[in-house]
Amino acid sequence: SSQASSSDDGFLKCLSASIPGQLVFTRSSPSFTPLLKSSIRNPKFFTPATVRPLYIVTPTNASHVQAAVACGRRSGVRIRVRSGGHDYEGLSYRAVRNETFAVLDLSSLRAVRVDARASTAWVDSGATLGELYYAVGKASGLLGFPAGLCPTVGVGGHFSGGGFGMLLRKYGMAIDNVIDAVLVDVRGRLLSKNTMGSDVFWAIRGGGGESFGVVLSWQVRLVPVPPTVTVFNVPVTASQGAVDVVTRWQQVAPALPDDLMIRVVVQQQTANFQSLFLGTCDALLPVMSSRFPELRFNRSYCREMTWIQSVPYIYLGSGSTVEDLLNRTTSASVFASGYKATSDYVRRAIPRDAWATIFAKLSQPNAGLMILDPYGAAIGAVPESATPYPHRAGVLYNIQYMNFWSMAAGAGAVQTKWIRDFYAFMAPYVSSSPREAYFNYRDLDLGENVIVGNVSSYQAGMVWGQKYFKDNYKRLAMAKGEIDPEDYFRNEQSIPPLAKNK
Ligand code: FDA
């Protein structure tokens, strides 16, 4: 390879003392490309122009991770950590500019150990959310965990950036329920909550992946779920009054009882109201008729099931099973479409006439979609500085914008432009100073690190850092300065190091 140098051979030599050869892949290995591709979810980052790793290392125990970090640092090979590979900008397996790096793919480190009696679990970063949910559901029908909807998302990246899903109003974010973790730092040390220091333990729970080292596993508090939950999906088209119902939803959804979550997916001319209620249909009906009569909800929409059944039902559809949660493979259809996404937070309800314009824009050719996740209740009750994730009290809902295109049809220039134009149009209606964004919906349009003196610049990073983290950005940078002052673990949006006395 043109990027290879003698130092890289030093990397392989160094690794050979500590890691079995069959766990290390160079570009000349026939397994290299299939392995690289195995968890890529956005195929626009799998093209001939993509800056790829020189090596892929697939550790099967903690000592391999420690050795990879020590060898990488010694021989000038950076490491990009990959758990589930779902990063929207592909930063776990590709670089924007030329860089000598190895991918540390944690997919073989994916044990889940549930202690149902204590209502806790240890989950390795390479596990998927589906594997975590499945293990919890197997251990107890009365326990669940509040994290994202998509079962193939990796625990490592998801927890690192926050993590929310259908239980966010009742139990908050994934990180609000993390009680311990195991971290390999830049010196190759294996650290726990007690030995990594309180600022670093604070930082790894939501301060973003890559920045602080390699998180190997997480201890979480499991949460109670009732034996029966109710799921519904009510589509409302524009001609059925979607503009009015969505306008009303903005005030209703964030103020509902915490066991009721009603999100909205708005696409073309339809608003789909998707819900999880922690209780029976009989208990749900009076809440809907008193709080949200505009939706004209009735019993025929109710689907009662167990919580674990609701997980595949909501994301994979009514024909799916609980066993489908264990399917880790990237489906061919996913690989066929590239996408661009970004996010906003809404703190003041958007006026009805703006919604009318939004619906019009969503029916333009090559338009994208919007996902609205209501906040309030538990997620808003956590103080802004308690975790790095600052989008708490006062947020009515989170918006995710997404646009997809067929890779066969090109690079998605039109769809990407649609997202950027729509994002500009939305500016007056969403949070400002800073315009808040969700780290796990990563968007490099928000800004990229600038390297000054071989470290990422704190000043330059403020541009994107305050959008994701508000005032927590500075404390994150100080935690980074403590655990990785030379900025070995870095990418285009990693936290820059700041010395404590600055
Ligand atoms: P990936 O492996 O790509 O890692 C993401 C980042 O974290 C990279 O920078 C990587 O280097 C770093 N990293 C990974 N593992 C690490 C580790 N062990 N230690 C340190 N750093 C590590 N989000 C949400 O909150 N709710 C949701 O419902 C969904 N749904 C959803 C659906 C789909 C289809 C996608 C593609 C994404 C989502 N997400 C989401 C966003 C998701 O939470 C986000 O992309 C996560 O970072 C993905 O984690 P992975 O481990 O899969 O990513």
Side-chain angles (χ1 to χ4, degrees):
S1 149
S2 58
Q3 284 175 41
S5 70
S6 59
S7 64
D8 312 330
D9 303 334
F11 181 61
L12 290 180
K13 200 157 173 234
C14 177
L15 283 185
S16 68
S18 327
I19 305 185
Q22 71 266 24
L23 303 180
V24 180
F25 301 83
T26 62
R27 285 179 176 179
S28 59
S29 158
S31 310
F32 183 90
T33 300
L35 185 58
L36 179 63
K37 209 176 156 183
S38 61
S39 68
I40 293 182
R41 295 297 285 203
N42 198 342
K44 75 178 182 187
F45 302 123
F46 187 75
T47 71
T50 305
V51 178
R52 300 181 189 199
L54 278 183
Y55 312 101
I56 304 175
V57 182
T58 58
T60 56
N61 76 51
S63 70
H64 300 156
V65 176
Q66 295 174 275
V69 172
C71 291
R73 193 175 167 219
R74 198 172 310 156
S75 48
V77 175
R78 290 189 186 276
I79 279 177
R80 291 190 180 232
V81 190
R82 183 165 78 170
S83 290
H86 282 50
D87 194 276
Y88 283 6
E89 296 281 6
L91 300 189
S92 54
Y93 54 84
R94 67 115 192 179
V96 172
R97 276 164 292 279
N98 256 351
E99 182 178 302
T100 300
F101 71 100
V103 165
L104 194 61
D105 185 310
L106 300 183
S107 56
S108 299
L109 288 170
R110 60 169 196 265
V112 187
R113 282 173 291 138
V114 177
D115 183 342
R117 202 180 279 181
S119 295
T120 59
W122 274 100
V123 55
D124 291 343
S125 282
T128 61
L129 296 182
E131 289 170 332
L132 171 59
Y133 297 145
Y134 185 90
V136 171
K138 267 268 131 64
S140 165
L142 297 174
L143 290 173
F145 188 71
L149 283 84
C150 170
T152 53
V153 164
V155 162
H158 188 68
F159 287 19
S160 292
F164 61 75
M166 296 304 281
L167 294 176
L168 70 85
R169 305 194 67 254
K170 181 77 177 181
Y171 296 116
M173 319 259 308
I175 47 162
D176 298 336
N177 297 281
V178 169
I179 51 183
D180 202 348
V182 176
L183 174 75
V184 173
D185 77 352
V186 66
R187 291 158 63 187
R189 295 179 303 179
L190 205 55
L191 303 172
S192 69
K193 172 184 175 176
N194 290 330
T195 51
M196 73 180 77
S198 56
D199 282 343
V200 174
F201 184 61
W202 173 83
I204 60 171
R205 288 173 297 158
E210 185 69 25
S211 298
F212 308 100
V214 185
V215 182
L216 288 183
S217 42
W218 313 76
Q219 189 184 30
V220 296
R221 183 172 43 231
L222 303 176
V223 301
V225 291
T228 303
V229 305
T230 304
V231 175
F232 71 75
N233 182 26
V234 180
V236 182
T237 64
S239 57
Q240 292 166 332
V243 168
D244 290 311
V245 185
V246 172
T247 302
R248 178 77 189 127
W249 169 90
Q250 299 176 100
Q251 244 111 33
V252 171
L256 287 169
D258 62 4
D259 44 17
L260 180 52
M261 163 88 181
I262 307 178
R263 75 203 294 255
V264 194
V265 179
V266 194
Q267 189 168 19
Q268 294 175 343
Q269 290 298 287
T270 305
N272 267 295
F273 293 83
Q274 303 179 344
S275 176
L276 174 69
F277 175 61
L278 298 172
T280 61
C281 183
D282 282 340
L284 173 62
L285 285 167
V287 183
M288 291 302 291
S289 58
S290 68
R291 306 293 288 267
F292 200 12
E294 296 83 355
L295 195 60
R296 285 182 234 130
F297 187 77
N298 65 57
R299 185 179 290 280
S300 71
Y301 290 112
C302 287
R303 297 286 176 276
E304 289 187 339
M305 58 190 76
T306 62
W307 174 76
I308 192 63
Q309 289 170 331
S310 78
V311 177
Y313 186 95
I314 290 170
Y315 196 79
L316 301 172
S318 56
S320 59
T321 68
V322 174
E323 267 63 38
D324 292 336
L325 295 176
L326 299 177
N327 184 356
R328 293 175 63 100
T329 54
T330 302
S331 73
S333 68
V334 163
F335 217 75
S337 43
Y339 63 85
K340 171 75 189 172
T342 194
S343 62
D344 263 320
Y345 289 86
V346 175
R347 291 176 176 272
R348 266 178 303 128
I350 297 174
R352 187 194 181 282
D353 57 345
W355 276 109
T357 310
I358 290 169
F359 270 84
K361 287 182 180 290
L362 289 171
S363 48
Q364 290 165 342
N366 299 304
L369 58 83
M370 295 168 83
I371 301 172
L372 318 177
D373 277 307
Y375 271 40
I379 199 165
V382 176
E384 275 190 21
S385 60
T387 75
Y389 184 90
H391 322 288
R392 301 284 192 170
V395 172
L396 296 177
Y397 56 96
N398 169 269
I399 304 179
Q400 177 169 208
Y401 312 93
M402 284 200 127
N403 205 353
F404 299 87
W405 59 90
S406 155
M407 287 299 286
V414 178
Q415 292 81 358
T416 302
K417 181 176 186 306
W418 185 92
I419 287 270
R420 288 175 179 154
D421 290 349
F422 195 64
Y423 186 73
F425 163 79
M426 290 298 290
Y429 306 112
V430 297
S431 66
S432 56
S433 308
R435 184 167 180 181
E436 299 167 59
Y438 178 26
F439 183 88
N440 269 344
Y441 298 158
R442 194 200 296 278
D443 178 6
L444 289 181
D445 289 358
L446 302 181
E448 283 181 35
N449 280 335
V450 175
I451 308 298
V452 179
N454 203 28
V455 295
S456 308
S457 155
Y458 172 78
Q459 279 301 328
M462 284 176 79
V463 172
W464 59 266
Q466 293 194 333
K467 294 182 169 112
Y468 290 142
F469 304 113
K470 297 179 74 177
D471 289 345
N472 292 330
Y473 173 69
K474 186 171 187 186
R475 184 170 167 202
L476 285 169
M478 289 194 295
K480 169 76 171 180
E482 196 180 310
I483 195 82
D484 182 21
E486 290 168 13
D487 202 26
Y488 172 70
F489 286 107
R490 75 177 180 217
N491 64 29
E492 293 73 6
Q493 276 184 351
S494 57
I495 301 291
L498 184 66
K500 235 186 187 136
N501 54 12
K502 283 211 180 138

